[in-house]
Amino acid sequence: MNRNENKNVAFYTLGCKLNFSETSTIARSFENEGFKRVDFSEIADIYVINTCSVTENADKRFKTIVKQAQKKNEEAFIIAIGCYAQLKPEELADVNGVDLVLGATEKFKITDYLNDLTKNDFGEVHSCEIGEADFYVGSYSIGDRTRAFLKVQDGCDYKCTYCTIPLARGISRSDKLENVLQNAQEISEQGIKEIVLTGVNIGDYGKGEFGNKKHEHTFLDLVKALDEVDGIERLRISSIEPNLLKNETIDFVAESDTFVPHFHIPLQSGSNDLLKLMRRRYMRELYVNRVEEIKKTMPNACIGVDVIVGFPGETDERFLETYNFLNELDISYLHVFTYSERANTPAAEMDGVVPTKVRKKRSKMLRGLSAKKRRAFYESQLGNTLEVLFEGENKEGYIHGFTENYVKVKMPWNPEFINTLHQVKLTEIDEDGLVRFEFVNEEVAIA
């Protein structure tokens, strides 16, 4: 009998799509060893928490999640992995109840560390120097959602002054093209309709494909090859740097039947002075050019924007520069991040610190602008016939779905629609800001 056969393992993921894809792959390695995966809300023998270090909040939430696990089973073996585990392993090991902390490379060999599941008095740390995180481990998420997150790239060679990701994930490196295509095929065979490409800096794809900086393939090669994979209805590019999103890629997406007209492009600031302080690799003029290029070829495209508020040196004038820049730009929604100081980053030592209260106020202003932008984008889509992929969750009696250009729709719950695609005509915006619709060429009664 397999010694792990009666053992349950549960996972909790903080942070980005990349973390979700890696959690899913790590979970499969447990299942291959005979463990049974259960929900984090259930009693388990092992709880694995995949951490994030991008926001201060994610650090604090870790302790709360450990307590939740301990409430379920005070004898459970608790493991921390992920970015925060690489950056501050000792800090996590000191949290009451944590038994094992694994760094950036060790997390993929997690089951090798499970010879003894006896609770430790102190958390045990296995964490490499980040310079050793130079090999690539492919991963993808299935079973958690109707969309799959497919990791194509890891690490980052950029030196943005606020960011700890290069310290947590190492140098930029890519999966071999044949591996990506193999993973995409495996996802397709599971009946999943949509793949979201993910990585730390996916526009950098190709770099590190052979364990060095030699490029055989580019991001455009990757996109073209994935477009040929049978059985995938939709491919979505997640976040891509504006300087790496080339016209050729935009033109290809515009003509593709599988790549959808949805881009998420980090801006971080609408002030060129701040972009220089952040050491971003573009000015705002390039960003405008990327947005215009997308809208020229795909007028109904959805464009999401990452923006940071409260970065050192963000005066009232510079903040208003960002606000007005975004207000005038033809974009669809914002992801707003309130700047928080991170150890070992140049920004943490900069002058011009913005008071916390001011950061919060500016964040609220930009979130308000995001709501306005999203509403305007949804209104611009009313009357259009689009294709919706329905999700698998019952939320207060409704099933939700997303159009190819990322408009969120709703109708009364009907499990028969999970993971199915339908042509719909968008008709009105509901009081909760989501969109109602009529089916096109289908006899379906919806309340």
Side-chain angles (χ1 to χ4, degrees):
M1 182 179 126
N2 187 319
R3 67 191 176 94
N4 301 324
E5 208 168 298
N6 297 318
K7 292 200 168 69
N8 291 346
V9 59
F11 296 84
Y12 196 107
T13 306
L14 290 158
C16 61
K17 294 181 179 80
L18 182 54
N19 268 8
F20 276 98
S21 77
E22 291 182 343
T23 296
S24 200
T25 294
I26 290 164
R28 289 195 291 279
S29 74
F30 271 91
E31 287 163 359
N32 293 341
E33 297 281 338
F35 289 90
K36 182 187 173 197
R37 184 178 181 179
V38 298
D39 193 78
F40 201 83
S41 61
E42 296 176 51
I43 294 170
D45 301 285
I46 300 172
Y47 291 94
V48 180
I49 304 167
N50 194 352
T51 62
C52 167
S53 68
V54 171
T55 63
E56 201 69 57
N57 198 25
D59 303 356
K60 290 171 185 162
R61 280 183 64 197
F62 176 75
K63 289 178 183 171
T64 310
I65 297 156
V66 170
K67 281 178 186 157
Q68 284 171 14
Q70 287 175 306
K71 266 187 194 163
K72 291 289 168 197
N73 178 7
E74 59 183 29
E75 290 303 309
F77 197 80
I78 297 175
I79 307 172
I81 61 173
C83 290
Y84 196 39
Q86 174 64 37
L87 287 173
K88 297 189 177 174
E90 306 297 341
E91 206 169 287
L92 292 193
D94 284 345
V95 173
N96 184 36
V98 173
D99 298 289
L100 181 63
V101 179
L102 299 178
T105 61
E106 291 78 10
K107 65 187 172 190
F108 294 110
K109 303 182 290 238
I110 188 167
T111 53
D112 296 353
Y113 295 94
L114 301 180
N115 297 325
D116 181 7
L117 295 180
T118 312
K119 292 290 289 174
N120 292 323
D121 292 336
F122 302 100
E124 195 179 305
V125 173
H126 295 275
S127 179
C128 67
E129 289 298 316
I130 198 59
E132 293 166 35
D134 58 358
F135 60 91
Y136 186 86
V137 178
S139 57
Y140 59 85
S141 70
I142 52 170
D144 305 328
R145 292 176 162 80
T146 47
R147 298 191 295 277
F149 299 139
L150 172 59
K151 173 182 167 184
V152 299
Q153 183 273 344
D154 200 351
C156 189
D157 292 341
Y158 286 11
K159 299 285 186 286
C160 301
T161 53
Y162 52 80
C163 187
T164 56
I165 287 174
L167 302 173
R169 283 188 169 271
I171 58 169
S172 179
R173 54 210 189 272
S174 309
D175 205 352
K176 288 191 170 69
L177 189 58
E178 61 264 33
N179 289 354
V180 176
L181 297 177
Q182 174 65 37
N183 286 342
Q185 195 60 58
E186 285 174 23
I187 293 167
S188 165
E189 285 160 11
Q190 302 280 334
I192 289 168
K193 304 279 196 297
E194 181 176 317
I195 291 177
V196 182
L197 304 186
T198 183
V200 175
N201 189 357
I202 64 172
D204 217 16
Y205 178 81
K207 196 185 274 187
E209 214 179 336
F210 302 95
N212 54 30
K213 294 300 174 195
K214 188 169 143 255
H215 268 266
E216 182 172 332
H217 297 106
T218 63
F219 183 68
L220 181 61
D221 294 334
L222 172 75
V223 165
K224 285 180 172 175
L226 283 167
D227 201 52
E228 301 289 318
V229 175
D230 284 339
I232 295 296
E233 302 275 351
R234 284 182 176 181
L235 284 154
R236 202 178 288 276
I237 296 168
S238 62
S239 188
I240 182 164
E241 293 284 310
N243 51 305
L244 295 175
L245 177 57
K246 306 295 184 197
N247 284 356
E248 296 83 0
T249 305
I250 294 169
D251 292 342
F252 185 82
V253 170
E255 296 297 320
S256 168
D257 289 331
T258 40
F259 274 91
V260 295
H262 174 209
F263 296 86
H264 193 94
I265 313 169
L267 168 69
Q268 311 309 13
S269 176
S271 157
N272 280 345
D273 291 338
L274 285 183
L275 289 173
K276 286 174 191 164
L277 285 173
M278 292 174 170
R279 284 197 209 138
R280 301 292 286 157
R281 299 195 174 197
Y282 53 86
M283 293 289 103
R284 56 187 256 164
E285 291 73 16
L286 175 90
Y287 199 92
V288 173
N289 177 269
R290 298 298 78 207
V291 171
E292 287 174 350
E293 203 62 42
I294 290 166
K295 287 294 185 174
K296 188 173 80 185
T297 54
M298 293 167 271
N300 291 316
C302 178
I303 302 175
V305 183
D306 286 342
V307 60
I308 294 170
V309 295
F311 187 80
E314 186 185 65
T315 58
D316 287 345
E317 291 75 21
R318 284 171 174 171
F319 170 70
L320 284 173
E321 217 181 323
T322 296
Y323 186 94
N324 294 330
F325 179 72
L326 290 165
N327 192 29
E328 287 161 25
L329 211 53
D330 191 2
I331 51 150
S332 316
Y333 64 90
L334 307 173
H335 278 175
V336 183
F337 297 90
T338 305
Y339 172 75
S340 58
E341 285 76 4
R342 318 310 276 156
N344 302 318
T345 59
E349 310 297 320
M350 286 181 181
D351 296 333
V353 173
V354 178
T356 305
K357 215 160 102 177
V358 177
R359 294 183 207 187
K360 284 181 178 166
K361 183 184 163 196
R362 290 175 183 172
S363 174
K364 197 174 172 185
M365 283 176 70
L366 282 183
R367 286 176 209 277
L369 179 61
S370 179
K372 190 179 101 173
K373 286 283 185 185
R374 194 185 296 270
R375 176 90 188 190
F377 177 64
Y378 282 7
E379 282 174 355
S380 76
Q381 298 305 300
L382 295 181
N384 287 354
T385 297
L386 298 162
E387 193 173 55
V388 169
L389 174 62
F390 286 101
E391 306 274 306
E393 212 177 332
N394 183 344
K395 290 187 180 169
E396 296 170 3
Y398 287 93
I399 186 169
H400 295 134
F402 285 94
T403 63
E404 61 267 44
N405 61 346
Y406 215 55
V407 174
K408 192 173 185 181
V409 305
K410 65 185 270 199
M411 74 171 194
W413 171 252
N414 183 339
E416 289 172 23
F417 283 83
I418 294 171
N419 196 33
T420 60
L421 285 154
H422 298 267
Q423 291 284 322
V424 304
K425 182 181 177 186
L426 304 186
T427 55
E428 61 179 319
I429 300 176
D430 221 346
E431 65 273 3
D432 59 0
L434 304 185
V435 180
R436 295 291 198 135
F437 58 86
E438 296 165 357
F439 285 98
V440 175
N441 305 326
E442 284 184 60
E443 293 298 317
V444 185
I446 57 174

